[in-house]
Amino acid sequence: MVRHIDLGETTADRKKSLNSFIRKGEITLGGYQKTRIYGRLDCLSGKRMKVEHRIFFKDETEAISNGYRPCGHCMRKRYQQWKANKL
């Protein structure tokens, strides 16, 4: 798990570091720390998050092991499975 705010001092530094992690395959999912939701990097809901609340995961296993649930917007099937298992 990598916090977005920890990737660099400036917006440009964070963007450069993030792109490097994505290219290497070290980051594949993003998450919202306040509500403990994870989703795809291209999710419109995720792109509206404040940098200080955004985190990144290598894969779904890492997100789930840290107590995060799938996004109902960009990962609808996964969210429905999670919801059904929770009930």
Side-chain angles (χ1 to χ4, degrees):
M1 185 167 73
V2 178
R3 291 182 50 196
H4 194 175
I5 199 80
D6 295 337
L7 292 177
E9 293 282 324
T10 67
T11 302
D13 290 342
R14 287 190 292 269
K15 187 174 182 176
K16 185 177 179 182
S17 295
L18 181 59
N19 286 335
S20 175
F21 278 112
I22 292 169
R23 275 193 308 276
K24 293 176 187 174
E26 295 175 17
I27 289 176
T28 61
L29 297 168
Y32 185 53
Q33 210 167 10
K34 281 187 157 189
T35 57
R36 303 185 76 76
I37 296 172
Y38 72 91
R40 296 186 341 221
L41 296 174
D42 62 348
C43 179
L44 295 176
S45 297
K47 289 185 175 187
R48 293 183 300 192
M49 292 179 225
K50 289 185 177 181
V51 172
E52 51 271 5
H53 303 299
R54 190 179 297 150
I55 56 170
F56 299 102
F57 301 103
K58 179 170 177 64
D59 54 28
E60 197 168 12
T61 304
E62 182 182 20
I64 292 169
S65 69
N66 281 289
Y68 284 72
R69 70 158 177 88
C71 173
H73 182 186
C74 68
M75 302 183 80
R76 195 171 314 267
K77 271 189 163 183
R78 286 285 204 209
Y79 173 74
Q80 289 170 347
Q81 290 170 347
W82 171 84
K83 191 174 179 181
N85 289 336
K86 189 174 180 186
L87 298 176

